């Protein structure tokens, strides 16, 4: 409650009303210019620069024209004195934030006049504008509607009438201007007044110009017309219409008041004003009111200003008029003198019997001629500055740190709760209607270096603005401590209020005579004044005197004694309010709005503790260093003193109250009677409702927020008073019955009142939510193409600070609502109509369409329905949560379930909005929590009594429109249908968790819902229980898949009684597992394939045959793992071989070269197949070949095929299976693996595979060309593997000889190849040998040094390496190598390692030159055959010397029979060759030398043999 006010006029003035804002007028978008006179004949495309002179203040006014009235506000700002800003709006149409800037060539006179165009009947130019420039050029502009102009254009010449007022050189400066349609009046510095028919007559026509003169008869007798005796300079002029005649009132600077009749241009009054009360006063302004025909009077008001003392006074006069042969006017002495001790007079408006005086801090209203004959008492209207300062805790009624101390006392935490709580209080109040101003907030944020463009800032929603402000706080580092955040907000609000007052300074009053509306036009906004509600008048007017309680039409008390009791009650309540301060309501309201919501009773209890014990212990945690030195201790001491003083005063007041009432029962009766006036009034009268404009809607919303704030604050004070009485009941003698009455009757009553006003206040100040836009079509619909914009323009306002939930409700009211919810939209609302409209709105919110008081829950569901239709999900949830909490507090939940199903509807709507919140706005854990809440709400809605009838009565968008429920349905059947509807609703929002829960719930009720025993419980359809269960299990399966709960999904499959649905779900299960990369679940062995193993296998095969081979994961690999898990090794091998075969077949259909990755996949498949068959008994290590299919058909038209299995039947353990005629065994798989490895290796070298399947003869053999290709590209390891695996016996030896012959050729200098060895280390993991040959080829895959190109030495090293490795397979390989080398180049020097390989070929027990095939004799023969006689001779000599130089221990062995073998035929052949050379004369000397050496060696050898032979003979003998 607020204490009484004292006005600045020296006596107390009661507060009659306050200002309520309509809209901002700062969005002027269209810029046009007036063509200059000097450039009229040319093409004018630019605006002339303004004059150098400027104004000291802004000038503005308003014209009300037409019916219904159109309001035209013009303004000239001091920073742009050559531009007129024009705003046009009407309550009959939607207000659009557009205006017009008219740029003139030079600086204008401060007075501009806009009026109805009465000259021309054309509808294209409904308005006229008169303006005069500082140089004396007068303009008459024919204006169209503002919205019809194009920005940056020039007004056409035919719409501009221009006239130069300085036609004579002695023309005096213009000091005053006035105009009406068709007439412009000019007052000059010399006191002369001229009239011009500008716009109605041509400048050269007779009668265009009139100078007002005094036509006396004496002057006419003299034969000339003399000028009127000029008075002082014209100071102000007003044109007023009286009884259909236009009169010009002229106030001169010397105090002379003259009145002219414009119809005949004659003077009807000349009066010199006498100011006896103010010496040296200056005449400032003249105002003329409406003439009254009943009293034949015209009210006048003149403003005087004392030059020395800056004192101002308004004198009010009455001008009597009478009609006869001529008009007679008589000015009466001043009837009212209104002095101003402080604050300048900004504007005055006069009616026939009323006057409104606008000051810079208040609006004064005075009834000039009251009906009782007594002087009317001045009434005060508070301006919006006071309301904003009060909302942002900047007024004098607020302690500077009260919010900080109270918040610390309520919350236990010092930072985690207090810091965001304080910010939330300020943000909510800053952005609520009446406080939020776009220009002020933007200017404030600009001080913190936050910059936006005009369009970006105007498009920001309330949530975005809130986030910007909170992010600014974070950037400023103000969230460290509660004190820092409080000080930051205090500084921010101080700057904001400064910018608000600067940008919205009061300009002038707007009076609509049609509706008696009183408005205030500010610098950048427009507002109206309203009366105070009766309760507001009581609380504002209370000053401790009995006669000052109440107001008109309020009967607060029945007798004097009760009035005294009410007086004492109010004093106690105000004492509590003063003790807590005005911040209590803000903290209380924010506590209710916080997340999570603090229970109502808990908040009251915490506040009550402050009354009883002072501020809590947590206040001590405030860092006193954050405040000024010593402040904390001083504040604590002051609080303790105030607490003691408050406690004593309250005890005395309560005892006094009890004594005056004689008993507490009587006091409580007065309190109960007083509480009835807080209940929102129920309007019973019926008025035809009309659609209200957004202007009146804005006024109504702001007025509702103001009234609800006062009612909520006052009701809270009363609640605290009652709770305080209970807490001190023992000290004040409160009996048990009285205490029980307070607890059981009065406190619940006031809590219900607080709940109702809290809902009203919440709707009035909470901005609407932005529409949730999901797709392009929704965005396109917001453009409103080819639609009537006035009907849907409100959609673009959603989310804006000035479009609250109440605004939305008012636009979407049911037209059949009883009571005048919407008053006439033809004009602005009067002060009384604003309060009346507010009463009707609050009545509709609380009472609904004429329902009884017990149906408040039903009314709240109606509100929730309207909000829910337009996407206000957060508001719906909060509204229903508050109603739900209040209902539970009243313990009426069970009662509501029994009566009309309102409890069910509330939870149903709550579930709908929670579901929408989860879908549109939330993510992560918040979304999951909200989905859980929605599920619980729907289950509660279905469990209430009469839920079927209640929920089916809802509109289709939130009801059960998808089900046609007719006839008698049992509760089980109803719940079954409701669960299915909820399931579909969750599915529609793509929230599978909720759909899963309700599908399970519906499944549990199937048997009972289709039971034939209950005729009332049967389903309307004839669907069987198995069909329904199958459908629900299929839905459960689908939702489980969506939630990635694959085990639950499989359980739904095996639980489904419908086989067809089961198989469909199984196929879908496999597809989803594959798409989610979770297909391995089928192979982990955790799923029980109860009778579905074969079906799973079939689906996997079907899927594999029709899927991309390269897709991951591979379904063939999955089949392999699936069969391995089932220990079916043959099938596992079959699927992997089929995978490899498809890769080979489908990869070559289009003659496209297989990539290395495809070949590697084939190798992996073959390797897996071989590994699987290794797990099978050798007698069963075979698989069936894949079914041949037409290549083209398998590529383009795949079809499902039946899989063939091998029947394995055994009579005994030694019985072998009967193999089919066509099969693939282990050997064939290994062979194909080797061939594929060769192909893969060649692909790594970018060598095209030159062979086809027909040339490879399937998988049985490989052509020799493959080996040649491998050797040619230096893939020796792979070549030898192919040879060893695919050739046997003599064929193997022949192929090895071919390979080494080719390798030897590479070593010849003339045959060196530039191709490098491309042996890849990866091939070592792909080579496969049989167990029998493992020792033979072990180590054959060693990789050569990784060089790209082998030099000559590299080839020799390679040859040596592989010859040592593979000569065991064929002993002739060294001979083949040597022969190939000598055949290629006979004079080539054989490498030493090769020669040593021949020499070392002798066995340990043999001597001579022969034994193994690769022996010295073989090398000797090669030397002889290829003409290497020198090498042959030396080799023979070396062998013979070795034979002769045998150690004594071996001589006995040498003497054994057949122990020595020499190639005597070859030696003979050598002898013959040498003789031939000698005879031919070729190298005779060398040959002779060789022959001699040979001869000597042979002779020595023969002698040795002779000795050995004799020794043998002698031994035998």
């Amino acid at each position: 409650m607020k204490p009484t006010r004292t006005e600045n006029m020296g006596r107390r003035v009661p507060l009659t009303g306050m200002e309520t804002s309509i809209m901002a007028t700062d969005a002027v978008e269209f810029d046009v210019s007036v063509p200059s006179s000097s450039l009229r004949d040319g093409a004018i495309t630019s605006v002339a620069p303004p004059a150098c002179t400027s104004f000291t203040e802004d000038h503005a006014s308003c014209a009300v024209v037409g019916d219904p009235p159109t309001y035209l506000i013009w303004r000239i700002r001091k920073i742009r004195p050559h531009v007129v800003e024009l705003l046009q709006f009407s309550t009959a149409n939607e207000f659009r934030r557009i205006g017009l800037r008219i740029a003139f060539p030079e600086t204008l006179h401060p007075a501009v006049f806009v009026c109805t165009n009465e000259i021309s009947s054309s509808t294209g130019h409904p308005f006229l504008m008169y303006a005069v420039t500082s140089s004396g050029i007068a303009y008459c502009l024919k204006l169209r509607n503002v919205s019809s102009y194009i920005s940056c254009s020039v007004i056409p010449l035919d719409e501009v009438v221009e006239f130069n007022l300085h036609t004579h050189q002695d023309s005096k400066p213009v000091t005053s201007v006035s105009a009406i349609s068709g007439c412009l009046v000019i007052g000059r510095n010399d006191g002369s007044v001229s009239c011009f028919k500008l716009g109605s007559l041509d400048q050269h026509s007779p009668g265009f110009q009139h100078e007002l003169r005094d036509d006396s008869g004496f002057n006419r007798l003299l034969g000339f017309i003399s000028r009127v005796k000029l008075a002082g300079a014209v100071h102000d002029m007003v044109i007023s219409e009286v009884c259909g005649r236009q009169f010009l009132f002229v106030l001169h600077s010397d105090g002379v008041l003259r009145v002219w009749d414009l119809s005949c241009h004659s003077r009807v009054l000349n009066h010199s004003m006498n100011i006896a009360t103010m010496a040296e006063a200056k005449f400032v302004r003249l105002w003329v009111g409406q003439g009254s025909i009943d009293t034949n009077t015209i009210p006048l008001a003149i403003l005087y200003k004392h030059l020395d003392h800056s004192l101002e006074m308004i004198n009010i006069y009455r001008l009597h008029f009478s009609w006869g042969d001529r008009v007679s006017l008589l000015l009466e002495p001043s009837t009212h003198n209104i002095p101003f001790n402080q604050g300048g007079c900004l504007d005055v408006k006069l009616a026939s019997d009323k006057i409104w005086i606008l000051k810079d801090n208040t609006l004064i209203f005075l009834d000039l001629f009251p009906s009782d004959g007594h002087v009317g008492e001045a009434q005060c209207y508070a301006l919006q500055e006071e309301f904003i300062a009060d909302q942002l805790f900047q007024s004098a009624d607020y302690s500077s740190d009260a919010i900080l101390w109270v918040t610390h006392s309520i919350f236990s935490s010092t930072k985690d709760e207090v810091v965001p709580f304080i910010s939330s209080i300020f943000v909510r109040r800053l952005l609520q209607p009446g406080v939020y101003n776009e220009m002020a907030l933007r200017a404030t944020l600009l001080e913190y270096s936050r910059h936006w463009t005009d369009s970006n800032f105007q498009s920001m929603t309330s949530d975005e603005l809130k986030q910007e402000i909170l992010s600014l706080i974070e950037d400023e580092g103000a969230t460290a401590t509660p004190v820092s955040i409080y000080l930051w907000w205090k500084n921010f609000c101080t700057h904001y209020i400064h910018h608000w007052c600067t940008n919205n300074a009061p300009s002038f009053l707007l009076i609509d005579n049609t509706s008696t509306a009183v408005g205030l036009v500010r610098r950048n906004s427009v507002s109206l004044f309203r009366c105070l509600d009766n309760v507001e008048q009581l609380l504002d007017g209370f000053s401790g005197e009995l006669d000052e309680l109440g107001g008109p039409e309020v009967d607060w008390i029945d007798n004097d004694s009760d009035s005294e009791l009410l007086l004492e009650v109010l004093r106690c309540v105000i004492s509590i309010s003063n003790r807590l301060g005005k911040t209590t309501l803000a903290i209380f309201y924010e506590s209710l709005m916080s997340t999570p919501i603090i229970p109502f009773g808990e908040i009251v209890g915490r506040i009550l503790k402050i009354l009883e014990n002072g501020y809590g212990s947590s206040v001590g945690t405030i860092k006193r260093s954050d405040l000024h030195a010593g402040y904390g201790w001083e504040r604590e001491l002051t609080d303790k003193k105030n607490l003691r003083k408050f406690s004593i005063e309250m005890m005395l007041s309560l005892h006094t109250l009890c004594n005056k009432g004689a008993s507490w029962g009587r006091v409580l009766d007065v309190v109960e009677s007083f509480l009835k006036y807080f209940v929102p009034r129920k309007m019973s009268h019926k008025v035809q409702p009309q659609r209200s404009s957004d202007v009146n809607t804005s006024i109504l919303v702001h007025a509702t927020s103001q009234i609800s704030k006062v009612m909520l604050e006052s009701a809270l004070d009363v609640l605290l008073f009652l709770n305080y009485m209970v807490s001190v009941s023992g000290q004040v003698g409160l009996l048990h019955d009285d205490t029980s009455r307070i607890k059981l009757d009065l406190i619940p009553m006031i809590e219900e009142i607080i709940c109702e006003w809290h809902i009203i206040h919440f709707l009035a100040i909470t901005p609407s939510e932005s529409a949730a836009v999901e797709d392009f079509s929704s965005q396109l619909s917001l453009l409103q193409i080819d639609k009537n914009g006035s009907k849907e323009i409100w959609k673009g306002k959603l989310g804006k600070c000035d479009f609250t939930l109440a605004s939305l409700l008012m636009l979407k009211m049911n037209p059949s609502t009883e009571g005048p919810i919407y008053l006439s939209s033809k004009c602005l609302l009067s002060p009384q109509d604003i309060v009346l409209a507010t009463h009707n709105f609050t009545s509709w919110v609380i009472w609904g369409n004429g329902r009884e008081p017990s149906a408040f829950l039903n009314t709240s569901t109606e509100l929730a329905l309207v909000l829910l239709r337009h996407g206000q999900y957060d508001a719906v949830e909060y509204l229903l949560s508050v109603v739900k909490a209040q209902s539970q507090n009243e313990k009426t939940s069970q009662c509501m379930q029994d009566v009309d199903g309102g409890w069910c509807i509330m939870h149903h709507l709550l579930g709908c909005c929670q579901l929408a919140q989860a879908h549109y706005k939330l993510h992560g854990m918040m979304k999951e929590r909200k989905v859980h809440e929605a599920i619980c709400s729907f289950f509660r809605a279905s469990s209430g009594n009469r839920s079927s009838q209640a929920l089916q009565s809802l509109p289709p968008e939130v009801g059960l429109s998808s089900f046609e429920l007719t006839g008698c349905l049992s509760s089980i059947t109803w719940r079954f249908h409701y669960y299915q509807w909820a399931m579909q609703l969750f599915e529609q929002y793509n929230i599978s968790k909720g759909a899963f829960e309700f599908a399970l719930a519906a499944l549990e009720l199937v048997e009972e819902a289709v039971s034939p025993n209950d005729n009332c419980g049967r389903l309307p359809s004839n669907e069987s229980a198995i069909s329904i269960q199958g459908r629900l299990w299929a839905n459960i399966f689908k939702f489980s898949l969506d939630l990635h709960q694959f085990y639950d999904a499989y359980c739904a499959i095996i639980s489904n009684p419908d086989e067809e649905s089961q198989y469909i779900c199984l196929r879908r299960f496999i597809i989803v597992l594959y798409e989610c990369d979770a297909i391995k679940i089928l192979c982990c062995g955790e799923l029980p394939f109860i009778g579905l193993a074969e079906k799973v296998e079939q689906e996997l095969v079907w899927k594999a045959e029709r899927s991309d081979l390269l897709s991951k994961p591979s379904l063939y690999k999955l089949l392999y793992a699936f069969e391995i898990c089932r220990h079916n090794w043959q099938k596992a091998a079959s699927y992997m071989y089929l995978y490899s075969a498809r890769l080979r077949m489908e990869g070559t259909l289009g003659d496209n070269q297989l990539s290395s990755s495809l070949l590697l996949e084939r190798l992996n498949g073959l390797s897996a197949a071989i590994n699987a068959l290794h797990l099978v008994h050798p007698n069963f290590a075979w698989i069936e070949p894949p079914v041949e299919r037409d290549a083209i058909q398998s590529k383009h038209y795949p079809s499902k095929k039946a899989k063939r299995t091998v029947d394995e039947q055994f009579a005994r353990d030694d019985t072998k299976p009967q193999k089919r005629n066509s099969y693939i065994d282990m050997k064939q798989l290994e062979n194909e693996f080797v061939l594929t490895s060769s192909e893969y290796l060649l692909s790594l070298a970018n060598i095209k595979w030159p062979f086809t399947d027909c040339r490879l003869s399937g998988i049985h053999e490989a052509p020799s060309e493959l080996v040649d290709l491998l050797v040619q590209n230096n893939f020796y390891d792979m070549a030898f593997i192919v040879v060893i695996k695919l050739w046997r016996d003599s064929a193997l030896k022949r192929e090895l000889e071919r390979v080494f012959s080719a390798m030897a050729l590479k070593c010849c200098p003339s045959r060196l190849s530039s191709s490098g060895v491309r042996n890849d280390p990866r091939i070592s993991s792909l080579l496969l040998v049989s167990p029998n040959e493992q020792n033979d080829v072990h180590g054959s895959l060693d990789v050569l040094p990784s060089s790209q190109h082998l030099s000559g030495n590299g080839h020799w090293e390679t040859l040596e390496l592989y010859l040592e490795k593979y000569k065991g397979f064929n002993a002739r390989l060294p001979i083949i190598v040597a022969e190939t080398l000598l055949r290629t180049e006979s004079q080539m020097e054989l490498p030493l390692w090769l020669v040593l390989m021949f020499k070392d070929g002798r066995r340990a027990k043999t001597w001579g030159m022969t034994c193994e095939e690769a022996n010295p004799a073989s090398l000797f023969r090669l030397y002889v055959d290829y003409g290497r006689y020198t090498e042959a001779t030396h080799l023979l000599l070396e062998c013979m010397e070795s034979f002769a130089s045998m150690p004594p221990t071996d001589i006995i062995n040498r003497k054994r029979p057949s122990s020595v073998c020499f190639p005597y035929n070859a030696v003979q052949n050598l002898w013959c060759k040498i003789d031939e050379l000698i005879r031919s004369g070729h190298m005779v000397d060398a040959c002779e030398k060789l022959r001699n050496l040979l001869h000597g060696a042979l002779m020595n050898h023969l002698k040795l043999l002779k000795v050995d032979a004799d020794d043998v003979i002698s031994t035998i003998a």
Side-chain angles (χ1 to χ4, degrees), residues 716-736:
L716 177 61
D717 291 337
V718 175
L719 176 63
L720 293 174
F721 168 70
L722 293 176
N723 280 276
Y724 186 82
M725 286 180 60
V726 173
S727 65
V728 297
S729 58
Q731 303 177 41
V732 296
L734 200 63
L735 300 178
H736 180 268

Side-chain angles (χ1 to χ4, degrees), residues 259-297:
V259 181
W260 302 83
D261 187 351
L262 293 181
S263 60
C264 58
H265 304 99
S266 61
R267 189 184 67 189
V268 293
L269 178 67
N270 184 22
H271 182 83
S272 178
M273 310 301 295
N274 183 18
I275 312 175
T277 58
M278 294 186 63
E280 300 181 359
K282 178 183 178 182
F283 296 90
V284 180
R285 290 288 304 276
L286 169 67
W287 294 278
V288 180
Q290 297 178 343
S292 174
I293 301 178
D294 297 334
T295 60
N296 292 332
T297 58

